Amino acid sequence: MNALADFEISRKWPAQHPDRIQLYSLPTPNGIKVSAMLEETGLPYEPHLVNILTGDQMTPEYLSLNPNNKIPAIIDPDGPDGKPLPLWESGAILLYLAEKSGKLLPQDPAEKYQAIQWVMWQMGGFGPMTGQLGFFHKFAGREYEDRRPFERYRDEVKRLLGVLDRQLEGREFMMGDQYTIADITSWPWARNINGFYEAADVTGYRDFKNVVRWVETCLARPASEKALNIPPRPAS
C-alpha cells in the first residue's frame, strides 16, 4: 500500500490530515501510553476514537489494521523508506516512535536495552496482571464464589508493585533522572490500580511510596495530562 487511502480502515475513520500519523485508540492504559508518547515527542498525529464499548474494534475495517482487535494501533504515512507503516501493540509502537523521533530512549546501548527490558516487563507482566485484577475485583469476576483467581492476581500485582517500587528507590524515574518509554509504558497501569480499578486498598498501593510519588510526577507532565483524554472519551 502506497497511500493512507489504500488502507481499508480509512473508510471508517477517514483522515482529515493524511500527512500525519493516524492514531486509532481510546484512553485506556494502553491507549494513553501512545497518546502520551506522541505528545511528548511532538510528532504530528491525528487521533481517531475506537469505541470498544460499542464494538468498533471488531469491525472489518479495524481488523484489517489490527487482527488482534485491541487498541491502540497507528499508521505512519511516512514510515521507513517513505512508505506507510501500519503498526499495533503499544510496546512496539512506543519503540518505533522513540526511534523515529530520537526521543525518550537512551542512546547508550546498555541503557537503551535496560529501558527496553522494562517495556517488556510491563507488556508481559504488569499490564496483563493488573488487567486481570481489575476483572476479578471490579467487574464480573468479583461475582465468582471461588476467590482463588482474585487472590492470585491480587498477590501478583502486589509483587510487581514491589519490583517497581524497588527500581524507583533513589531514582526520579525508572531509568534514573531521564524520563523514557520505560515510564510511559507503566505509569498508566499503576494509575489504574489506584483509580479506575479501585484496587488501592486490596493491593496496599499507598504503601509503595516510590510508586505513588513517581505516578504523581509522571501525571504532572503536560503531555500526560493531555493524553488522559486523547481521543476524547465517548459520551456516556
Side-chain angles (χ1 to χ4, degrees):
M1 296 185 184
N2 297 314
L4 190 60
D6 295 335
F7 289 85
E8 185 177 348
I9 196 169
S10 296
R11 293 198 286 273
K12 185 173 177 64
W13 289 278
Q16 300 299 311
H17 303 281
D19 58 328
R20 301 179 185 178
I21 293 171
Q22 303 295 302
L23 169 66
Y24 308 91
S25 190
L26 183 76
T28 64
N30 284 335
I32 288 168
K33 292 182 205 174
V34 176
S35 297
M37 184 68 178
L38 286 163
E39 286 292 324
E40 290 280 358
T41 61
L43 291 168
Y45 73 101
E46 179 179 354
H48 302 276
L49 174 67
V50 179
N51 190 345
I52 63 176
L53 300 178
T54 59
D56 277 351
Q57 77 281 14
M58 300 302 296
T59 59
E61 293 87 354
Y62 191 76
L63 290 170
S64 71
L65 176 60
N66 184 357
N68 197 38
N69 64 270
K70 303 293 184 181
I71 61 96
I74 66 168
I75 300 175
D76 182 0
D78 184 24
D81 299 322
K83 299 177 181 179
L85 175 68
L87 202 59
W88 47 276
E89 278 296 336
S90 58
I93 296 171
L94 291 184
L95 287 166
Y96 172 71
L97 295 176
E99 293 191 345
K100 181 180 178 73
S101 66
K103 298 178 179 179
L104 299 169
L105 187 63
Q107 296 300 306
D108 175 80
E111 293 181 358
K112 172 183 176 180
Y113 284 103
Q114 287 169 351
I116 290 173
Q117 80 180 348
W118 284 105
V119 174
M120 300 301 132
W121 174 83
Q122 183 280 313
M123 297 292 293
F126 191 48
M129 295 299 102
T130 302
Q132 294 293 340
L133 172 65
F135 175 77
F136 284 101
H137 177 63
K138 183 173 181 178
F139 299 107
R142 66 182 176 180
E143 300 172 2
Y144 295 4
E145 291 184 11
D146 186 347
R147 301 304 292 161
R148 286 175 295 179
F150 162 74
E151 292 166 358
R152 157 80 173 118
Y153 293 114
R154 176 201 62 196
D155 293 348
E156 182 63 2
V157 168
K158 290 173 70 173
R159 185 189 73 81
L160 292 166
L161 282 169
V163 172
L164 180 56
D165 199 71
R166 290 188 291 274
Q167 175 64 17
L168 289 165
E169 182 68 33
R171 298 181 175 93
E172 183 177 9
F173 300 110
M174 291 179 68
M175 293 298 296
D177 59 0
Q178 183 181 3
Y179 185 70
T180 70
I181 59 173
D183 303 286
I184 291 177
T185 198
S186 284
W187 71 252
W189 282 102
R191 171 180 174 268
N192 242 34
I193 296 171
N194 187 43
F196 184 65
Y197 288 155
E198 301 171 353
D201 290 341
V202 299
T203 58
Y205 173 84
R206 299 179 190 87
D207 295 332
F208 298 99
K209 303 299 184 183
N210 295 319
V211 173
V212 172
R213 182 266 310 159
W214 165 77
V215 170
E216 292 174 351
T217 299
C218 293
L219 277 170
R221 299 176 70 88
S224 301
E225 293 179 355
K226 291 184 67 176
L228 295 179
N229 197 37
I230 296 176
R233 293 181 181 275
S236 56

